[in-house]
Structures are given as C-alpha cells and as structure tokens.
Amino acid sequence: MKDIVAKQGLSDKFHIESSATHTDEIWNGVGSPVYPPARAKLREHGIGTEENELGVSGKRARLTTRADYDKFDFIIGMDSANIRDLNRIFGGDPDKKIYKMLDFTDRNGDVADPWYTGNFDATWRDCSDGCHGLFRHIIVDVKYSDILSDSDEYPNDDGLESNDGLERHDGLIHDDFPRG
C-alpha cells in the first residue's frame, strides 16, 4: 500500500502501518523482522530496495492495540481469524472500520497465507489486488476528496474534456495509478 501511495505522490496524505493480532511474531518484547521469503517477494516487485525502501529493512512486528482503532480510518485483516481477533481487541467495530483485504477485490475469502501454502505469488496477488482496490475505494470516496485533492502532485486539468472517461475531482484523476 505504501508503494501505491508513493507512486501517486500522496505519501504525505496517508499513514499506513501493519501490526499483528497475536504475539507469535513478538519475542521478549521485540518483533520479528519481515520474513525473508516475503522480503524477497517485495524486492522482486521493486519494494524494499535501495531505490524504494519504504521502511522494509527496519520493519518489526508490533501488536495491534485498542488505541489503533481511533488512530485509523481503515483496519484491514488478511483473513477471517484476523477479523475475529480485531473485533476482540477493539471490543467490536462500531464505526465500521474493519475489512478483509479481499473485500476490496472482486473475490471473496481470505488472503492466501504463505506460512501454510508456501505460495508467495498467490499472497502477492491477493495483497496487491486488495491494496489497489482499497486505494480506488479511498480516492473515489468524497469523504477523502478534499484531503487528497489539495496535493501539489495533481494540478487542475481544466483543459481536459469532461467526457474523456475519467472521473475527476479538483484535478485528481481517479484510477490512473499503476498496477504493481
């Protein structure tokens, strides 16, 4: 998600974090780094490289806390177990912030877990599709349009015809971001 947002020049408009719903990846108070095969898959797609580091090398697992509910507009779980754990941690979801990653795609279900499947390609596809869908969801939501449209990266394009097939709001072109 950080890569998608950065490629749109909107990193300063988003606060993106990841966290665990249980302590499996946290030992003696220290979170595990990004799993080496996951790091390799990210690098394969140009993320976590010297040119596009995005915090991958310093990332450590952290535990989701109750305070996270108030801190974020969207809370995304990878699978049904995560959703159950998130609802337990937060004591429910009164503001309807909790979603499964694949809710933002044309598929239902859980993200393929490479811990069990060993298939990092399927996990990449699920996460990439989900993140692109979430980004689309955010940029077309009028609730976020004022925040996103004041970016200097998207000057108004008053000269473009209104029937060019692109939805616009204050110069932000919706759905023009690259797939990755």
Side-chain angles (χ1 to χ4, degrees):
M1 189 68 178
K2 286 181 180 180
D3 185 56
I4 294 166
V5 168
K7 286 177 178 171
Q8 289 298 302
L10 295 171
S11 294
D12 63 327
K13 305 292 182 188
F14 286 78
H15 180 85
I16 302 165
E17 291 185 23
S18 64
S19 62
T21 58
H22 48 80
T23 59
D24 291 358
E25 291 298 321
I26 301 169
W27 298 89
N28 295 323
V30 178
S32 300
V34 176
Y35 187 51
R39 180 179 267 181
K41 181 55 64 180
L42 290 170
R43 252 189 258 112
E44 183 181 312
H45 291 276
I47 300 168
T49 63
E50 189 173 310
E51 299 80 28
N52 191 24
E53 216 288 315
L54 294 174
V56 173
S57 66
K59 174 66 181 147
R60 296 285 210 183
R62 76 163 182 86
L63 195 58
T64 302
T65 68
R66 173 62 186 100
D68 288 331
Y69 193 81
D70 296 327
K71 187 175 180 182
F72 296 98
D73 293 324
F74 294 89
I75 299 169
I76 312 299
M78 297 297 121
D79 58 32
S80 299
N82 287 159
I83 300 302
R84 185 177 52 252
D85 291 341
L86 289 166
N87 277 295
R88 177 187 48 78
I89 292 165
F90 300 138
D93 184 19
D95 298 329
K96 307 295 183 225
K97 295 180 176 189
I98 299 175
Y99 300 87
K100 273 204 293 189
M101 178 62 80
L102 293 181
D103 288 349
F104 298 99
T105 70
D106 58 1
R107 302 188 306 278
N108 291 321
D110 297 342
V111 169
D113 188 338
W115 182 259
Y116 301 105
T117 67
N119 187 343
F120 285 85
D121 290 328
T123 304
W124 171 264
R125 182 199 68 234
D126 288 349
C127 290
S128 179
D129 289 351
C131 286
H132 280 90
L134 173 58
F135 186 76
R136 275 189 201 95
H137 177 84
I138 292 168
I139 65 171
V140 299
D141 189 328
V142 74
K143 176 179 174 183
Y144 303 105
S145 64
D146 288 339
I147 296 166
L148 296 174
S149 65
D150 71 0
S151 171
D152 293 336
E153 298 295 320
Y154 291 95
N156 281 329
D157 290 320
D158 295 332
L160 292 176
E161 295 180 26
S162 60
N163 64 353
D164 63 2
L166 298 174
E167 183 180 344
R168 299 173 190 280
H169 182 273
D170 293 337
L172 179 62
I173 300 173
H174 302 291
D175 210 19
D176 70 342
F177 53 92
R179 300 277 306 163

